[in-house]
Amino acid sequence: MSRFLSKSLAACVLLAGAQVLAAPPKAYRQEVVVAGSHFQGVHGLVVDGKGHLLASNLLGQTVHSVDLSTGAVSTLVGPPLGGADDVTLGPDGSVYWTGYFTGQLMRRTPDGKTRVIAKELPGLNSLAFRRDGRFYVTQVGRGDALWEVDPNGKKPPRKILSGPGFLNGFEFGPDDRLYGPLLMKGQIVRVDVDTGSIETVADGFGMPTAVNFDARRENLYVVDSVRGELVRVRLPSGAKEVVAKLPTGLDNLAVGPDDQVYVSNMVDNDIRVVNPADGSIRVLVESRLAVPSGLAVAPDDPDEQLYVADVYALRRVGGREGKIQQTTRVLSTRMTFPMNVSLSAKHVVLSSAYLGSLQVLDRASGEVLRTIPNTNGIQGALELADGSLLVAEAATGKLVRVSTAEPAVTTVLAEGLEGPMGLAADTEAQEPGVYVTEVRSGKVTRVRLSDGAKSTVAKGLKAPEGIARHPDGGLIVAEVGRKRLVRIEPATGRLTVLASNLRIGLPESAGLPPGYLPTGIAVGGSGTIYVTSDIESALYRFVPVP
């Protein structure tokens, strides 16, 4: 039995709840809906020459080692230091990785010592050594530059290029030129790092994200994330040939000494191996979810179909049987990295602190109807009856209302909240309002929609994140700081612990808004409580025991 299943088949958790509309259940049975994974969206890869593949795990803040023969995964560097977008090996066997959010370049020496060798470079992404030991990194998204860095961290970084066009996963060729993709231009380029000159090698890609040379250093393999293709580029002609068709969302690759190509997919959270000789594909590391975060269920859905904001995809999961029924993927669609999700009668509302946007989707078709930029660390978002959106800005401490007009108009409903995270509507009340979890203050606050007046429902919590209304009126909250699931009576503030020792709550990291990866909570009409696990990339349910 896997470690995920063994943890999930827990004994019943006793509770003594206060009566609201009806007496709450006295016990819950914890079960697995979707089993977990070691990764939270796998990214950069490098073969270590010792039978292992090193894999970077940005959101999980870890660097892993994968056994190439068995697929067994172990943790090389744990959170919070291991927040790696890409990873490589130095000439002396040191492991180097880039902290995209922290802006730090990290090194772990063969004796196990880890330290920062460069900092204040937000958006650090790709990295590679030249044959002479010189070391280069790029900024992508939160910057756009190519730097030379001292591998020992004794000299300050030196900028080589500004604004190349998001130069991503690259490698040096036998000519000591740097080969890599320009994400937004669909090109593979060759860079002379001594002169800064750039030449196009091949173009016409959807979104190339990384390149690697074959073992003989004659051909260049390219992963195209949007098209889901592994492409071989023949040099010097630049002629292209599709080697294998894969799911969209490809992020990086590494080529072994036997020319087997290892490909990471951040959307499917897996690693596949392609044999370029015949295009055959096998799975080395498999997952079902990537980074399950926000969670929603329609209260009138007897099947309790769950909408999971999986960061790299919006997935629908059967709450009763765990079947993933529908997936909308990032990059190959206009959806942008969902981290929170809520439902209205006709729409799905997504919010993403990752790329700073709100999105409204048609619930029936999945079509993106509106995209509204917001870079204030947005967390929970709800659609109100008039179509306006209510949004928690964790970075500003505000609860704002976004109009239906185009362009959208944002007004402040309430401020002074400390890391507002989860939202639960209370719109049927005589004075309609919304419940808000405050991850910094440890409160659950009710905000009146008519004038923004605030009242404290509960305090003394530690990092409350996800929140949902139970059918009987109680509030179910993920108290992440204490790794537990609690129930709060909104009229009295009385708290009851429903489950403890949950695998939730990755540590916070520099450069991220409060509660960056939310622990999602949803409650079905049956009273079953659903919870996402960021640590295990899993989905659990707590079923009331008669």
Side-chain angles (χ1 to χ4, degrees), residues 413-414 433-434 445-455:
L413 176 64
V434 62
T445 300
R446 189 181 191 276
V447 178
R448 194 162 57 198
L449 296 182
S450 60
D451 59 4
K454 297 180 294 183
S455 58

Side-chain angles (χ1 to χ4, degrees), residues 29-84:
R29 181 177 65 252
Q30 183 178 345
E31 299 176 343
V32 172
V33 181
V34 179
S37 164
H38 291 277
F39 297 106
Q40 288 80 19
V42 60
H43 297 280
L45 305 174
V46 64
V47 177
D48 70 356
K50 302 176 182 177
H52 293 85
L53 182 74
L54 303 187
S56 60
N57 182 6
L58 174 62
L59 296 180
Q61 304 178 47
T62 50
V63 178
H64 294 284
S65 177
V66 182
D67 188 303
L68 294 181
S69 60
T70 67
V73 180
S74 59
T75 301
L76 185 67
V77 183
L81 293 177

Side-chain angles (χ1 to χ4, degrees), residues 77-116:
V77 183
L81 293 177
D85 194 274
D86 201 1
V87 60
T88 195
L89 289 164
D92 68 344
S94 291
V95 182
Y96 294 82
W97 64 95
T98 50
Y100 182 85
F101 298 111
T102 64
Q104 294 179 341
L105 180 62
M106 308 295 295
R107 178 189 183 189
R108 183 180 188 269
T109 55
D111 61 3
K113 295 179 180 177
T114 299
R115 67 186 185 92
V116 178

Side-chain angles (χ1 to χ4, degrees), residues 92 94 96 104-109 115-119 121 129 133-135 137 148-158:
D92 68 344
S94 291
Y96 294 82
Q104 294 179 341
L105 180 62
M106 308 295 295
R107 178 189 183 189
R108 183 180 188 269
T109 55
R115 67 186 185 92
V116 178
I117 63 169
K119 55 185 179 180
L121 295 173
F129 279 89
R134 292 169 67 184
F135 189 31
V137 301
E148 181 176 359
V149 178
D150 178 3
N152 298 308
K154 296 179 179 179
K155 299 177 183 178
R158 181 175 68 91

Side-chain angles (χ1 to χ4, degrees), residues 182-261:
L182 298 183
L183 282 180
M184 309 312 294
K185 296 182 179 181
Q187 298 176 340
I188 305 301
V189 297
R190 176 171 48 229
V191 180
D192 186 326
V193 295
D194 294 318
T195 66
S197 63
I198 302 177
E199 301 174 83
T200 300
V201 173
D203 57 16
F205 295 91
M207 182 182 285
T209 52
V211 308
N212 253 212
F213 281 90
D214 63 13
R216 294 181 301 278
R217 316 289 285 173
E218 294 175 352
N219 299 306
L220 199 61
Y221 288 108
V222 181
V223 286
D224 190 324
S225 186
V226 167
R227 296 176 181 165
E229 295 176 344
L230 175 65
V231 179
R232 180 164 44 220
V233 176
R234 299 193 180 278
L235 300 176
S237 68
K240 298 186 299 182
E241 174 190 3
V242 176
V243 175
K245 289 287 293 184
L246 296 142
T248 61
L250 307 179
D251 188 83
N252 218 307
L253 78 164
V255 181
D258 56 357
D259 262 348
Q260 298 294 292
V261 183

